[in-house]
Amino acid sequence: MTTLSIPTTSALPSTQLVPSTHPAVHRTLLRLSRQSMISLVLDWLDERNQENTAPYLLSSDDEDNDENDDDLYPPASSLAALREIYTDLQGRKGGKRDVVDRAIEGDWRDGISLYQLAMADMQYLYDHPSSQKWNALKITRLTNDQEKTSPSIPRFHPATFLRNLQQEVLPDVKAHYNLDRHATLPLLILRVFIVESPYNTSLALQSVNQNSILDSNKTFYVAFPDSSPHVFVSATFNAQSSSRGPSSNNKSLRRLILEGIPKAFSKPRERYTLQSTSLSAKNLEALVEKRGGGRTSAAGGGWSVYAEEKHGKDNPLNTQLPTPEASILDDVESNTKEEEKGLKRKREEAHDVVKRRRLVAQGRFGNTAKADDGKGIERLDIRVEDLFPEADAAEEEDLNLDDSARDRNSKRKGRRSSISIELDKAEEDDVQADGWRPDVRITLHGSHVFAGIRDLIEAGIVEGEKMPGWMTGEEGVSLGVVRDGRIRGFKGTGV
Amino acid sequence: MLPSTDDSVLEDTIGAQLDSEIASLKAQVQTLKTQRKTQSTTIISSRTTQTILSRLRASQKTTSTRSSQETDISPLLSTSTAQLAHNQENLYRSCAGITTFRIRDPDPNAVDDGNVLGIRFDVSTSGKFVRPYYVMLNKPWAGKTLLRIHRHTVPSCIPLASLADRYLPHGKGAAAMGDKESGAKRQDLTRFVRALRREIVGYHNRVSVIKGLRKEFKLDEKVSRKGKERERVIADISVADAEAKQVRIEWVDGRIGRAVVDDKGDVKKCVVIGEEGRDREVERRVCAGGMEGIGERLREGIY
């Protein structure tokens, strides 16, 4: 350990140890389940990670030292032996606390490295995919020259990006960066952990205010989808922390990193900026579908039939006649087992009515917005600015809203401010000319909003043909202003 | 993990056996069904069938009153017509590569009464057609015939936005294709789809060239066939960016190279760097021509 600490501008090293008595260490590790904790420890014991995660082992020179005799967790003599101990624990039943205690008080008694903490946090993120709320932002090129074609996607090189990002961070703030590849999705996740200190040694972690220094508010995540001009940034979740001071402080730290991201992407003669895309969700899978590099990003809702895999059926060399739409549904129908849910109340309804509704829903949503596809967004905020409609149309609209509101248990107060700001921004260049446009705001809330709307169509509560397009989610936004039945500024998602 | 008794193990194995049997039978049914479909389309498209059908059609016209009691051939005739139309469609799709079709926007509030023009791009790479790409255009401005991209399934590694900016401008001073206005920025759908198809084909070609390079240096195969092969020199060749315009080459001795390719597939720039600095000799070799020849030129240098 260095005895001399000089303020520097470099990042915190991954090997930096956090004392294992630190409450944040306990808190971070105890969030994990027993199984993930053990698999995490086994990862720590992997040969390749030894540089950053070496455990406390019995070294040869203190073998005949009596000091360790009354130790609750006697240190193991080798990595292999330790691995055996934890594999043994894996098979046994027990609480997670004994694993955590063993790790903290026994095998890593000297301290947990920042890298280990990062791994633990990532593990928690994978175990609880909806623990973070993500905002999708677009990286666009800053340019005055319209004629010149620009590459649509800035090249992402992790090492260069991190070096540039570190340069953007102020010298009195230190950050620890950890990059990890998502197990199933095409995503690279960067975890940024910020410490307010000019030093990048252990001094940085020795603060008077021990509790606040490893605050989870100072951790945040940036996800980079493969070959896509978007980044997903985790939103600060617990903004209403105890006192006002640190909270606003964290926000400014976060903004600092956020401003650093486009600058880190930029290079001479090629500058980038971040743009909001009005989409935020907890579900990374949904974000990857709407903003990833694939085909589905500009073909949502019913348009998704053009983007999906058809197993060679849309090959021009396929001589077979395409199957008509009505029979496609039969296949789907035989697979779904939601009969008991839909038919409990309306047994009297004819089969062909139900089938027709299914067909309509299929036409509006394609194969998206299924309740079990795991691509749900949990909140949709819409402000309707349509002209006040004629009497009969109004009734119908109200009916729709009431039903969806009751079903989704929607109206929720509070945390309105940021949305209002966003929506008012759109209003600035507004021209009020033709008649009264009432200010109607709708919030749909649930585990999978669009699947809920689809269910309502299939149950006959929402009329499929007359439903406006934004209710299918085909625009790929979670926040928008609807005017003349369409989301404003989205005459086409394409460009 | 409870220890299971012998009985349950036995049942499990029988159950699994039956399950696999059922699955294989189902798969068999599926393949037979597709076979039957293929056979029937082949039969119905064949010339002899067509002549027989046309004769039938002629006879049906004359004796339309009493043909119903024998066999009703009208579904057969309609299937045949549909099949012929489908065949022609396929012919256009596979030979022209760019085809159009009309779509109705399901949104009741859609612009221009929901009229949407769909453009389908069929691109083949290494002997196979890939999934077609679609671009849907509509006319969102009332009273004007300016086109705008409504939806599309083009992945973001293809610069659709900048192509649309260039060939389908819709800002101030833009003119639709039929307009007579002079000096305006005119929309040109034909050039747009051509440029887009060129980009898509270029992308697929670059990807398949890199795949070919990997094959050439046997990077996807398992290593060590008892040293019979010549020793491996290249450790890895991969795509470095989204558009597949940058190729990353790794040598076994630790040198790393990066080559930048242009639209036509020519290598524009290359840097190879090792422990003793840049390797200008190899850089020159890589730069001297198209990307499909990188492998050959590297070999010349090695052996």
Side-chain angles (χ1 to χ4, degrees):
Chain A
M1 201 85 346
T2 47
T3 48
L4 189 66
S5 285
I6 321 163
T8 68
T9 53
S10 57
L12 285 169
S14 285
T15 46
Q16 181 61 54
L17 293 181
V18 179
S20 34
T21 51
H22 200 291
V25 173
H26 256 276
R27 203 168 50 229
T28 312
L29 296 184
L30 278 177
R31 285 199 303 177
L32 298 172
S33 70
R34 181 186 158 93
Q35 280 312 316
S36 346
M37 182 63 208
I38 291 174
S39 72
L40 183 70
V41 168
L42 288 174
D43 270 351
W44 288 351
L45 294 175
D46 198 285
E47 294 289 350
R48 285 166 296 174
N49 289 333
Q50 283 316 298
E51 204 179 317
N52 294 323
T53 64
Y56 180 84
L57 293 177
L58 199 64
S59 53
S60 49
D61 50 313
D62 58 24
E63 220 162 313
D64 41 19
N65 204 336
D66 297 340
E67 194 188 355
N68 289 326
D69 273 356
D70 52 350
D71 202 335
L72 188 56
Y73 302 107
S77 55
S78 74
L79 271 182
L82 203 51
R83 235 174 274 148
E84 214 160 274
I85 292 173
Y86 279 101
T87 323
D88 198 34
L89 275 176
Q90 201 163 24
R92 243 186 285 156
K93 282 202 174 81
K96 61 184 173 184
R97 190 166 277 279
D98 54 321
V99 185
V100 173
D101 282 349
R102 165 153 196 122
I104 292 177
E105 285 164 25
D107 302 320
W108 282 274
R109 61 188 75 184
D110 290 340
I112 301 277
S113 73
L114 284 177
Y115 182 66
Q116 281 169 294
L117 274 186
M119 280 172 84
D121 258 1
M122 294 308 290
Q123 184 67 43
Y124 181 77
L125 186 67
Y126 296 143
D127 289 349
H128 305 84
S130 57
S131 62
Q132 292 285 335
K133 191 176 170 99
W134 304 85
N135 283 325
L137 299 172
K138 185 171 191 192
I139 312 160
T140 49
R141 183 145 178 201
L142 271 177
T143 173
N144 299 323
D145 190 7
Q146 238 96 79
E147 293 304 306
K148 208 178 153 220
T149 54
S150 53
S152 51
I153 303 163
R155 205 160 47 76
F156 179 64
H157 185 254
T160 318
F161 178 83
L162 284 188
R163 207 186 58 217
N164 290 342
L165 188 61
Q166 177 57 36
Q167 280 171 359
E168 296 302 324
V169 176
L170 297 179
D172 63 342
V173 169
K174 286 287 150 307
H176 173 248
Y177 306 101
N178 181 46
L179 272 167
D180 201 20
R181 183 96 203 154
H182 196 283
T184 49
L185 296 170
L187 281 175
L188 203 63
I189 299 182
L190 169 69
R191 173 186 180 271
V192 185
F193 168 70
I194 307 165
V195 175
E196 271 182 279
S197 165
Y199 309 111
N200 72 339
T201 56
S202 57
L203 220 63
L205 303 168
Q206 286 163 8
S207 164
V208 194
N209 194 350
Q210 276 237 327
N211 248 330
S212 76
I213 196 151
L214 291 170
D215 210 336
S216 60
N217 277 350
K218 288 182 181 172
T219 320
F220 84 110
Y221 303 89
V222 187
F224 301 92
D226 286 355
S227 60
S228 160
H230 295 96
V231 290
F232 309 147
V233 180
S234 72
T236 40
F237 219 18
N238 20 12
Q240 62 273 29
S241 91
S242 51
S243 57
R244 280 197 64 80
S247 160
S248 63
N249 211 342
N250 292 339
K251 258 184 203 156
S252 72
L253 285 178
R254 184 173 172 275
R255 197 167 58 234
L256 199 75
I257 296 285
L258 258 187
E259 282 168 5
I261 291 172
K263 288 175 189 158
F265 267 115
S266 304
K267 51 190 178 190
R269 290 163 179 271
E270 209 180 303
R271 290 190 300 140
Y272 291 99
T273 181
L274 287 184
Q275 249 177 23
S276 157
T277 60
S278 310
L279 177 64
S280 56
K282 282 184 186 174
N283 191 337
L284 272 178
E285 211 170 317
L287 284 172
V288 167
E289 179 175 277
K290 298 283 183 215
R291 297 282 185 269
R295 294 174 182 234
T296 48
S297 50
W303 301 94
S304 65
V305 291
Y306 292 105
E308 67 202 17
E309 179 82 63
K310 290 190 187 112
H311 303 290
K313 289 219 176 100
D314 49 0
N315 191 317
L317 300 181
N318 180 20
T319 52
Q320 291 171 24
L321 279 174
T323 20
E325 271 176 49
S327 61
I328 291 175
L329 200 71
D330 287 338
D331 287 359
V332 179
E333 213 166 331
S334 60
N335 292 337
T336 51
K337 32 182 185 141
E338 49 191 339
E339 300 293 323
E340 67 270 26
K341 191 169 60 177
L343 291 182
K344 204 170 270 177
R345 234 179 339 163
K346 315 180 170 50
R347 194 168 290 279
E348 68 272 18
E349 271 171 343
H351 177 70
D352 54 333
V353 174
V354 176
K355 189 176 171 184
R356 213 191 96 72
R357 282 192 208 126
R358 285 253 171 89
L359 214 69
V360 168
Q362 178 76 14
R364 293 308 297 272
F365 287 98
N367 288 325
T368 62
K370 298 274 177 69
D372 52 355
D373 62 357
K375 289 174 184 164
I377 67 167
E378 73 286 344
R379 190 183 168 99
L380 172 73
D381 287 291
I382 293 290
R383 185 161 82 178
V384 182
E385 281 189 358
D386 285 347
L387 275 175
F388 194 63
E390 302 302 310
D392 52 335
E395 258 174 32
E396 187 194 327
E397 183 76 5
D398 282 349
L399 193 74
N400 287 356
L401 295 186
D402 281 352
D403 280 327
S404 45
R406 190 194 59 211
D407 245 62
R408 311 259 108 231
N409 206 354
S410 80
K411 289 290 178 205
R412 223 183 64 169
K413 295 281 181 283
R415 241 173 57 76
R416 263 269 182 244
S417 57
S418 65
I419 295 152
S420 300
I421 291 167
E422 190 78 22
L423 293 176
D424 288 341
K425 225 186 285 166
E427 202 183 23
E428 275 170 18
D429 54 334
D430 207 359
V431 194
Q432 291 274 346
D434 42 355
W436 184 45
R437 291 178 184 270
D439 184 3
V440 181
R441 294 176 191 216
I442 304 160
T443 300
L444 300 176
H445 194 86
S447 59
H448 191 330
V449 170
F450 295 118
I453 297 177
R454 187 181 181 138
D455 279 354
L456 289 180
I457 292 182
E458 288 179 1
I461 298 169
V462 173
E463 199 167 334
E465 286 105 330
K466 291 186 181 165
M467 183 185 72
W470 54 265
M471 284 174 82
T472 65
E474 59 184 55
E475 306 283 1
V477 293
S478 63
L479 179 69
V481 179
V482 171
R483 185 164 258 219
D484 303 328
R486 297 183 299 275
I487 290 195
R488 243 167 59 131
F490 281 85
K491 287 188 179 117
T493 33
V495 189
Chain B
M1 284 281 176
L2 286 168
S4 50
T5 58
D6 283 346
D7 269 2
S8 70
V9 168
L10 207 64
E11 269 170 37
D12 272 3
T13 49
I14 292 173
Q17 216 172 338
L18 282 175
D19 278 350
S20 72
E21 221 167 288
I22 291 169
S24 77
L25 281 175
K26 271 184 182 165
Q28 208 178 341
V29 167
Q30 203 57 44
T31 45
L32 285 175
K33 267 185 185 167
T34 34
Q35 253 178 35
R36 195 194 66 175
K37 269 187 192 165
T38 318
Q39 297 289 6
S40 69
T41 55
T42 317
I43 291 170
I44 216 163
S45 319
S46 79
R47 192 167 288 173
T48 23
T49 325
Q50 285 305 319
T51 45
I52 294 167
L53 279 175
S54 64
R55 215 177 295 149
L56 268 175
R57 206 170 282 158
S59 72
Q60 198 190 28
K61 262 175 203 159
T62 53
T63 61
S64 59
T65 43
R66 56 172 196 82
S67 69
S68 52
Q69 76 243 23
E70 288 169 29
T71 45
D72 191 12
I73 56 156
S74 59
L76 188 59
L77 288 176
S78 68
T79 319
S80 138
T81 333
Q83 181 67 47
L84 285 182
H86 183 72
N87 287 354
Q88 194 179 23
E89 208 171 80
N90 273 346
L91 196 62
Y92 275 106
R93 290 212 167 121
S94 48
C95 297
I98 303 169
T99 43
T100 57
F101 56 102
R102 299 179 74 159
I103 317 173
R104 278 207 63 80
D105 198 330
D107 187 352
N109 300 309
V111 290
D112 191 26
D113 294 330
N115 285 323
V116 176
L117 173 70
I119 300 176
R120 172 173 162 153
F121 296 84
D122 283 290
V123 176
S124 63
T125 178
S126 52
K128 269 183 198 154
F129 276 103
V130 296
R131 268 155 72 202
Y133 295 93
Y134 295 93
V135 174
M136 281 65 116
L137 299 140
N138 63 358
K139 297 175 182 165
W141 291 280
K144 285 187 195 169
T145 49
L146 288 175
L147 291 166
R148 189 189 158 119
I149 295 178
H150 182 44
R151 302 273 187 258
H152 66 83
T153 68
V154 180
S156 47
C157 53
I158 286 156
L160 182 69
S162 60
L163 288 178
D165 270 352
R166 197 194 299 166
Y167 297 113
L168 300 175
H170 51 73
K172 207 173 270 179
M177 280 195 290
D179 285 2
K180 292 284 184 291
E181 280 174 66
S182 58
K185 283 188 277 180
R186 191 176 302 275
Q187 291 200 334
D188 195 337
L189 187 62
T190 326
R191 286 177 66 188
F192 169 73
V193 291
R194 260 194 217 156
L196 182 57
R197 190 181 144 83
R198 184 187 148 87
E199 287 287 343
I200 294 172
V201 171
Y203 169 74
H204 280 290
N205 284 350
R206 288 194 294 272
V207 169
S208 72
V209 164
I210 289 167
K211 222 184 262 172
L213 286 177
R214 289 184 65 86
K215 210 172 171 186
E216 200 174 329
F217 289 98
K218 301 194 167 58
L219 295 177
D220 294 319
E221 292 169 27
K222 290 274 171 283
V223 214
S224 84
R225 252 178 251 151
K226 292 194 178 165
K228 268 182 194 170
E229 301 278 320
R230 277 188 284 199
E231 202 152 296
R232 182 179 279 198
V233 178
I234 305 282
D236 193 25
I237 297 178
S238 58
V239 181
D241 68 338
E243 290 168 276
K245 282 189 175 171
Q246 299 205 358
V247 189
R248 183 188 149 88
I249 309 169
E250 247 178 86
W251 278 264
V252 170
D253 59 6
R255 282 177 297 165
I256 289 176
R258 188 63 82 90
V260 179
V261 183
D262 70 353
D263 286 341
K264 291 176 194 149
D266 293 332
V267 182
K268 281 290 136 190
K269 299 173 198 163
C270 178
V271 173
V272 177
I273 210 156
E275 275 176 15
E276 312 88 59
R278 294 197 27 191
D279 189 341
R280 309 238 174 221
E281 161 70 19
V282 176
E283 280 175 25
R284 255 198 309 282
R285 275 180 190 285
V286 174
C287 277
M291 73 186 289
E292 65 282 350
I294 289 179
E296 203 177 311
R297 295 197 295 274
L298 281 180
R299 266 164 201 282
E300 281 170 14
I302 296 164
Y303 308 119

